Amino acid sequence: QPDPSSAQFWIPVKAHGAKGDGKTDDTAAIVAAIALAYQKFDGTAYAQGNIVTFPPGIYMISSTIQLPNRVTLKGSNGRGVTIRTAPGFQGTCMIHASNGKLSMFASRVEDMMLDAGNLRPTSGVIPAVIRSDAWQEVQWWCFLDLPCCPSH
């Protein structure tokens, strides 16, 4: 639940068209919610950024999700939220945390499972579930059917 005393915006991914039914490609809806969360960040020096919320469900993605600085993807307290690569997934990672600079409050992924079952090597690149350009924090994570997970 959002903290009313916080300056953070909580952006529900389903308000942007995500279904979370394990069949529909939710990539565009997730990207739209992330874009709004990033756009609403006011640049305050110590603000923690905004949160994209996911209710229980299986969210299919067909390509890499770009996660900018100070945006959090937050599941439902670790219960029943999975982001899963769709068959034919295009990309070398599920989530690319592309901050561009080191930050005290970097991108975060919390309280959800990341199922990389359809993430396969392409063009000789070893796939990874999350790639980052700077320090990131990932809490309460669980990878399902991971083909490989190189250190980065």
Side-chain angles (χ1 to χ4, degrees):
Q1 290 290 23
D3 176 358
S5 66
S6 170
Q8 293 175 306
F9 285 94
W10 290 60
I11 315 291
V13 73
K14 285 202 169 183
H16 294 274
K19 301 292 184 204
D21 60 8
K23 298 175 190 166
T24 304
D25 183 354
D26 291 317
T27 307
I30 294 169
V31 168
I34 289 171
L36 181 61
Y38 185 70
Q39 174 188 350
K40 286 189 170 286
F41 175 63
D42 66 6
T44 306
Y46 296 103
Q48 293 184 20
N50 297 313
I51 298 169
V52 176
T53 60
F54 291 75
I58 298 172
Y59 298 87
M60 303 298 288
I61 60 171
S62 57
S63 61
T64 299
I65 299 295
Q66 301 294 326
L67 187 59
N69 193 29
R70 297 182 190 250
V71 173
T72 296
L73 304 182
K74 181 160 181 54
S76 183
N77 296 321
R79 292 183 171 82
V81 176
T82 300
I83 295 179
R84 178 177 291 160
T85 54
F89 178 87
Q90 297 294 310
T92 58
C93 62
M94 291 180 69
I95 298 173
H96 180 211
S98 52
N99 292 344
K101 64 179 182 177
L102 189 65
S103 170
M104 185 172 158
F105 298 107
S107 310
R108 296 165 58 112
V109 177
E110 299 178 352
D111 301 327
M112 62 177 60
M113 290 189 284
L114 303 176
D115 180 347
N118 290 302
L119 184 59
R120 300 288 179 246
T122 57
S123 303
V125 176
I126 298 172
V129 175
I130 298 177
R131 289 197 193 281
S132 66
D133 294 337
W135 175 85
Q136 307 304 310
E137 185 173 345
V138 180
Q139 297 180 344
W140 300 107
W141 59 349
C142 177
F143 299 136
L144 301 177
D145 192 21
L146 182 60
C148 62
C149 188
S151 60
H152 181 73

